[in-house]
Amino acid sequence: MIFYLPAYDEKGEELLNRIIAELVPREIETYRSFHDLQERIQRPFPDVKVAVLLCMTKAHLQEIFTLGEYLQDLKVILVLPDDDAETIIKAHNLRPRYLSWL
């Protein structure tokens, strides 16, 4: 599993800790910068099936949007910064398996 949390957020940290507690011993790759996430997503990942992507701002969502073609083979769980109609429409273009907002 890939987990992306680009900025410190108490709820995001709590979600990460819950995932770690539930999925041990499975490997969870955590990324805190978009650059590191981008480098990982662009490499083959036959062992990774799920990506949990927290977008703390609309700018983070825009960055994630640039990875769209690399996310096609993953089950994406996308957490958005808000429930604004424009944000949700843009997020649906990434075809997430699950969509929520902060």
Side-chain angles (χ1 to χ4, degrees):
M1 170 185 282
I2 291 175
F3 189 94
Y4 175 59
L5 180 60
Y8 177 81
D9 178 77
E10 190 173 320
K11 291 179 183 179
E13 296 292 336
E14 182 180 334
L15 177 59
L16 175 59
N17 290 331
R18 286 184 181 194
I19 289 172
I20 289 171
E22 293 295 323
L23 296 182
V24 171
R26 295 182 183 152
E27 186 174 334
I28 300 172
E29 300 176 31
T30 304
Y31 296 93
R32 303 276 181 171
S33 78
F34 178 73
H35 180 265
D36 291 343
L37 174 68
Q38 183 179 35
E39 283 185 350
R40 175 60 180 103
I41 290 290
Q42 291 177 348
R43 290 182 301 178
F45 45 85
D47 56 329
V48 176
K49 305 267 188 260
V50 177
V52 178
L53 308 172
L54 277 74
C55 301
M56 310 307 289
T57 66
K58 290 184 181 196
H60 291 147
L61 177 60
Q62 183 59 41
E63 288 176 334
I64 296 298
F65 197 74
T66 65
L67 300 175
E69 69 182 90
Y70 299 103
L71 299 173
Q72 292 178 6
D73 294 331
L74 290 172
K75 295 175 183 168
V76 174
I77 298 171
L78 191 58
V79 181
L80 303 174
D82 57 55
D83 63 345
D84 181 68
E86 181 182 326
T87 303
I88 292 173
I89 290 168
K90 184 167 199 113
H92 275 289
N93 288 319
L94 293 171
R95 300 174 58 191
R97 291 289 180 112
Y98 183 80
L99 183 63
S100 186
W101 52 88
L102 297 171

